[in-house]
């Protein structure tokens, strides 16, 4: 993962919303079947789980990651 963006000049993060009845309902349902692992803290030193399905299954993880990225991009 650390080599993913090695030559990148810019990295763009796009956050979206999932509305009831959207075409993403099937993805939301699929993720809800996976046991979500909620991280208590997400900072630059946090080791993320290898199983991202369990990470993305938690809305709190998404919020914490978004806050981290917003703080990081303001530096």
């Amino acid at each position: 993962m650390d080599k993913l963006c090695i030559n990148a000049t810019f990295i763009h993060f796009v956050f979206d919303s999932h509305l009831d009845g959207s075409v993403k309902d099937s993805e939301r349902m699929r993720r809800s079947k996976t046991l979500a692992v909620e991280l208590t803290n997400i900072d630059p030193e946090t080791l993320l789980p290898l199983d991202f399905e369990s990470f993305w299954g938690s809305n709190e993880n998404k919020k914490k990651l978004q806050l981290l990225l917003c703080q990081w991009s303001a530096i």
Side-chain angles (χ1 to χ4, degrees), residues 8-68:
T9 305
F10 292 96
I11 299 172
H12 299 272
F13 296 99
V14 178
F15 299 98
D16 64 352
S17 298
H18 294 264
L19 305 173
D20 288 336
S22 74
V23 295
K24 295 191 175 190
D25 274 346
S26 61
E27 178 65 15
R28 188 180 315 117
M29 286 175 44
R30 186 182 67 77
R31 286 186 181 155
S32 69
K33 293 177 183 175
T34 303
L35 181 62
V37 175
E38 189 170 313
L39 302 179
T40 56
N41 186 34
I42 298 178
D43 60 36
E45 304 302 317
T46 302
L47 296 175
L48 298 176
L50 294 176
D51 174 19
F52 269 96
E53 292 299 318
S54 62
F55 177 82
W56 295 125
S58 165
N59 286 332
E60 287 303 310
N61 286 346
K62 294 174 195 174
K63 290 176 188 176
K64 292 172 188 173
L65 180 61
Q66 184 175 4
L67 287 173
L68 172 67

